[in-house]
Amino acid sequence: MWRLSSSQDAYKVASFCLWIGAYGCIANAPVFSLFIEPEMATLGNNLGLYVGFPMMALVLLDLILGWKWQKATWGRIFLGLAAMFELMRRAESGNSYGEFLLMACTLALLFAFFKIIKNAIASRQGFKKHSIVLGFYVGLMVASLWSINTTFALLWNSLTLLTFGGYLYFAA
């Protein structure tokens, strides 16, 4: 993301989305179950799935396609996603809406990644040290998903999301 644009608003929104994901991981880690109420863990799941993931897909599309949305637009998107979640929940269509969001966001992310790789190859950008370190870190994050210990996987993923979110926030 730092190669694509100098859009500070997109960086801050991306860091917010990553921190929402980190909250969802921490809230659902078994080691913290004594300290966090089940309602707060559910809040973390819902925020991550219905708000954080779609906003992260939109951030990447914003950066790739050059939309350059401002803070007010991102705030409206956040409120719209939260309102849509509540409407779908009350209409008892939450599961279908969640499945649709996951499919649509996954397709948007795949498109954004394709454009990023295509642009990097076209401009002949080589891999730098930070790209290798970030790739290794993300690889460990994905590898931890197959861990026998759920607490380790959730804590590692939350640490990764907090690190990336902090980097993007302070890079803005």
Side-chain angles (χ1 to χ4, degrees):
M1 290 179 63
W2 57 87
R3 289 183 182 175
L4 301 177
S5 164
S6 62
S7 176
Q8 291 182 351
D9 294 337
Y11 286 171
K12 292 194 178 188
V13 172
S15 66
F16 175 69
C17 295
L18 291 170
W19 289 339
I20 287 175
Y23 170 71
C25 289
I26 290 171
N28 289 292
V31 77
F32 294 116
S33 64
L34 297 174
F35 308 109
I36 297 176
E37 296 293 324
E39 294 83 13
M40 294 305 289
T42 303
L43 175 68
N45 285 339
N46 291 341
L47 272 175
L49 175 63
Y50 297 105
V51 176
F53 191 54
M55 282 184 73
M56 183 54 77
L58 287 173
V59 164
L60 284 173
L61 288 176
D62 175 51
L63 291 171
I64 289 296
L65 300 175
W67 293 334
K68 297 184 181 173
W69 288 340
Q70 297 176 355
K71 287 181 187 177
T73 305
W74 288 113
R76 290 181 185 110
I77 291 170
F78 177 85
L79 291 174
L81 288 169
M84 192 61 148
F85 161 72
E86 186 60 24
L87 288 172
M88 290 295 141
R89 186 186 67 80
R90 289 186 183 220
E92 296 180 5
S93 299
N95 290 337
S96 299
Y97 177 62
E99 290 172 2
F100 169 75
L101 270 181
L102 284 174
M103 286 187 289
C105 291
T106 301
L107 289 174
L109 288 172
L110 288 173
F111 172 74
F113 291 149
F114 171 75
K115 292 289 279 183
I116 289 170
I117 292 169
K118 182 180 173 186
N119 291 343
I121 290 172
S123 65
R124 297 185 185 263
Q125 289 179 338
F127 287 103
K128 296 182 180 176
K129 290 181 184 177
H130 60 273
S131 299
I132 294 170
V133 170
L134 288 175
F136 182 70
Y137 208 64
V138 170
L140 286 175
M141 183 176 154
V142 171
S144 72
L145 294 176
W146 288 282
S147 172
I148 295 174
N149 187 347
T150 305
T151 300
F152 171 73
L154 288 172
L155 290 178
W156 180 260
N157 288 329
S158 64
L159 176 66
T160 303
L161 294 173
L162 286 172
T163 303
F164 289 154
Y167 176 78
L168 289 175
Y169 182 79
F170 292 115

